Amino acid sequence: MNYRRLGHCGLRVSELSFGSWVTYGNQMNEAAARECMAVAHDAGVNFFDNAEVYAKGRSETIMGDALSKLGWRRASYIVSTKFFWGLYDGPNEKNTLNRKYLMQAIDGSLSRLRLEYVDIAFCHRADPETPIGETVRAMSDMIAAGKVMYWGTSEWSASEIASACEIAERHHLHKPVTEQPQYNLFHRERVETEYARLYDDYGLGTTTWSPLASGLLTGKYSAGVPPDSRAAIKGFEWLAERILEPTRLAKVQSLVPIAQELGCTLAQMSIAWCLANPRVSTVITGASRPAQVEENLRALDVVAKLTPEIMARIDAIVVG
């Protein structure tokens, strides 16, 4: 496993990380989650991603129970969580980044995760109704209180991130050090273009998610939605609609021969493609079985095979 700095900060994250979205509390119980985390950690993965809203808090509880039983040295791993949507319907408990919500949310997450601190806390979406300065100060205060080590954003616009950084620098507060955007062969503009100035101007790191476009880039949806896939889970019908788009399915089929030439699966090639971008600090992967974790990890061996010629052929299919 190789490790990359999270932007310009000193934290080093494994190139591949392990996330809990959809799987924890929907497809996996604590025992299965623990087994997958153990396989990942044994291979050198040190970053485990979560969020308050995942499975309405159950995802954090499952990860916390797993970490407690695994008994790893706390300094050996990184845990993140995210705040915005909330778990309750009160006016200050959902769809907000106001100070009241954030200060209560971090305590709830720490309790469910059974941790004294999280390494990274993300603002899961931007909140147009709360002044960015209020959010920046609240996140900075979490760090000052020792409940969080670093903070970041997720799916914020470049202008919102720049604003947060400038406010933090002006008032000597902790600024966001990383963004968590979607990034894959079909979703590229934000990471490659919109954020281009932020990497050098503010030292922004990226913990990218959905390298397989919610499973589309595995090729398993070519004949429809398998019953054991995340797109078949109740409440995730919107995923099936997105995945079964005919033009994208055709492009996926055209990518398969390139993966075969490289001696890997389409999924491994797609993950490796994300890692080939030096602006990516870590690629968050997901799995519901240890065998899937191991398969994803083999993407590390594919990165060196992605020559400029191969990358151009991939681009010709996806962009052309």
Side-chain angles (χ1 to χ4, degrees):
M1 180 65 66
N2 295 316
Y3 300 86
R4 300 182 182 185
R5 284 179 60 196
L6 188 60
H8 287 181
C9 83
L11 193 66
R12 291 168 60 83
V13 292
S14 49
E15 288 185 328
L16 294 183
S17 41
F18 189 72
S20 64
W21 181 54
V22 181
T23 53
Y24 282 35
N26 290 303
Q27 294 175 300
M28 300 167 69
N29 58 19
E30 184 274 328
R34 175 164 28 102
E35 194 173 0
C36 286
M37 289 172 66
V39 171
H41 190 260
D42 287 347
V45 170
N46 73 344
F47 176 34
F48 298 87
D49 181 72
N50 215 314
E52 175 193 58
V53 75
Y54 293 169
K56 298 180 180 179
R58 293 196 307 278
S59 178
E60 288 181 321
T61 299
I62 288 171
M63 183 173 285
D65 290 346
L67 287 169
S68 178
K69 290 177 181 177
L70 287 164
W72 298 332
R73 191 176 67 260
R74 181 64 182 91
S76 73
Y77 63 90
I78 296 163
V79 171
S80 69
T81 194
K82 296 181 279 293
F83 307 120
F84 174 73
W85 281 289
L87 299 177
Y88 305 99
D89 290 331
N92 291 303
E93 297 178 283
K94 67 174 182 179
N95 302 342
T96 184
L97 293 175
N98 71 35
R99 182 180 182 86
K100 176 177 173 59
Y101 160 71
L102 288 171
M103 289 307 190
Q104 294 170 333
I106 182 60
D107 288 341
S109 286
L110 291 178
S111 176
R112 287 185 293 274
L113 288 165
R114 302 171 68 172
L115 297 174
E116 293 183 359
Y117 67 91
V118 293
D119 300 274
I120 310 170
F122 290 93
C123 292
H124 212 160
R125 291 295 184 272
D127 175 11
E129 296 186 0
T130 297
I132 290 181
E134 178 178 338
T135 299
V136 170
R137 187 170 292 279
M139 299 304 292
S140 186
D141 285 349
M142 285 185 199
I143 293 175
K147 297 178 180 181
V148 174
M149 297 292 109
Y150 302 89
W151 79 276
T153 58
S154 182
E155 297 295 347
W156 283 31
S157 69
S159 62
E160 289 163 338
I161 295 170
S163 218
C165 289
E166 289 166 8
I167 288 169
E169 290 176 349
R170 189 181 315 135
H171 296 286
H172 307 288
L173 301 170
H174 294 281
K175 69 180 181 181
V177 301
T178 185
E179 157 65 28
Q180 187 168 119
Q182 181 178 176
Y183 185 56
N184 55 59
L185 280 161
F186 292 119
H187 197 101
R188 304 168 55 170
E189 193 276 336
R190 181 157 265 181
V191 168
E192 296 180 359
T193 305
E194 183 182 344
Y195 293 159
R197 286 285 303 272
L198 301 180
Y199 303 124
D200 293 325
D201 288 357
Y202 301 106
L204 190 72
T206 57
T207 64
T208 63
W209 60 278
S210 198
L212 302 179
S214 298
L216 175 62
L217 286 164
T218 65
K220 66 182 178 183
Y221 292 102
S222 298
V225 178
D228 62 342
S229 68
R230 62 178 52 183
I233 299 172
K234 185 177 180 180
F236 288 86
E237 293 83 2
W238 57 273
L239 265 182
E241 292 178 11
R242 180 186 300 174
I243 288 168
L244 297 178
E245 200 275 314
T247 302
R248 286 189 170 186
L249 285 173
K251 290 181 177 181
V252 167
Q253 286 303 107
S254 297
L255 288 168
V256 171
I258 300 179
Q260 290 174 339
E261 287 178 35
L262 297 177
C264 65
T265 66
L266 177 58
Q268 290 162 350
M269 184 182 79
S270 300
I271 294 170
W273 179 91
C274 295
L275 280 174
N277 184 340
R279 297 303 193 180
V280 170
S281 307
T282 184
V283 175
I284 300 171
T285 61
S288 57
R289 301 185 306 277
Q292 287 181 318
V293 178
E294 293 169 347
E295 179 181 343
N296 289 338
L297 288 167
R298 286 194 283 272
L300 295 168
D301 300 325
V302 181
V303 180
K305 300 178 182 181
L306 296 179
T307 63
E309 179 205 2
I310 293 293
M311 294 292 275
R313 287 173 60 193
I314 292 171
D315 267 359
I317 292 170
V318 176
V319 181

